[in-house]
């Protein structure tokens, strides 16, 4: 049985697209970057910790596989997590406007005796954004709970001038990498 160690509705939707049945595990993992930790390492570590915390919840379940994932927006080595409030969201969007940033998505799959992972890095270029556009987007509420204060699958898709990489990875679960991992573990996808 596959378990998704996430309460993200986007990850649930994306994993369901692969046609696998899965259960949900609610895990609490601190998302704090260590001083000097490279962004890719940070994202991968958090995804691994989520999968590990999930595996502890299903110890003893024969054949249990736990999938953990994390996605972060990175600009100039600064990791943009979820905004703390409206001002923080507006600050992030101002920084991203007119620039290219990276979106790093890591996926870990763990079982009692095996583990595997993959990392996807996409580049996203935002259009220039005016203060009125930023204010309207923040007021919509869509920015909250999203890395970098935006959801590419929502209204912010209109901000994206160019995407090089994985659309599903920017959403929160790179489907190609996830499919490859699941198949490596013998899951029919």
């Amino acid at each position: 049985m596959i378990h998704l160690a996430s309460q993200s509705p986007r990850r649930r939707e994306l994993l369901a697209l692969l046609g696998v049945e899965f259960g949900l595990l609610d895990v609490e993992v601190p998302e704090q970057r260590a001083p000097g930790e490279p962004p890719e390492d940070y994202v991968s570590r958090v995804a691994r910790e989520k999968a590990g915390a999930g595996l502890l919840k299903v110890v003893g379940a024969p054949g249990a596989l736990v999938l953990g994932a994390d996605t972060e927006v990175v600009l100039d080595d600064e990791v943009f997590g979820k905004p703390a409030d409206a001002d923080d969201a507006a600050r992030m969007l101002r920084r991203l406007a007119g620039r290219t940033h990276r979106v790093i998505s890591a996926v870990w799959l763990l079982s009692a005796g095996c583990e595997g992972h993959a990392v996807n890095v996409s580049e996203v270029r935002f259009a220039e954004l005016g203060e009125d556009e930023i204010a309207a987007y923040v007021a919509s509420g869509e920015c909250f709970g999203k890395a970098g204060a935006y959801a590419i699958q929502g209204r912010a898709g209109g901000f994206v001038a160019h995407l090089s990489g994985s659309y599903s990875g920017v959403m929160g679960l790179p489907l190609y990498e996830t499919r490859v991992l699941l198949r490596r573990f013998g899951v029919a996808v």
Side-chain angles (χ1 to χ4, degrees), residues 33-44 74 77 79 102 104:
R33 185 177 171 200
E37 185 176 26
E40 290 87 351
D41 293 352
Y42 164 66
V43 175
S44 184
V74 179
D77 200 50
V79 175
R102 292 182 299 148
I104 303 168

Side-chain angles (χ1 to χ4, degrees), residues 152-175:
I152 194 169
Q153 73 278 12
R155 292 174 59 177
F159 301 161
V160 177
H162 184 78
L163 166 65
S164 177
S166 170
Y167 180 82
S168 62
V170 176
M171 279 181 66
L173 186 69
L175 289 179

Side-chain angles (χ1 to χ4, degrees), residues 37-99:
E37 185 176 26
E40 290 87 351
D41 293 352
Y42 164 66
V43 175
S44 184
R45 177 179 58 79
V46 170
R48 169 77 174 72
E49 288 175 359
K50 289 177 182 180
L55 191 60
L56 288 175
K57 291 186 173 216
V58 294
V59 166
L65 290 172
V66 178
L67 189 144
D70 191 46
T71 299
E72 299 293 346
V73 169
V74 179
L75 178 68
D76 299 333
D77 200 50
E78 180 184 350
V79 175
F80 289 51
K82 299 173 183 89
D85 55 29
D87 289 339
D88 194 30
R91 178 193 65 80
M92 289 182 191
L93 293 167
R94 277 187 210 102
R95 293 267 329 273
L96 297 174
R99 301 192 60 199

Side-chain angles (χ1 to χ4, degrees), residues 118-144:
V119 176
N120 174 274
V121 180
S122 298
E123 290 191 350
V124 178
R125 186 175 75 241
F126 263 22
E128 294 289 343
L129 300 174
E131 283 300 316
D132 55 335
E133 291 174 288
I134 291 171
Y137 185 69
V138 171
S140 78
E142 187 178 273
C143 60
F144 298 109

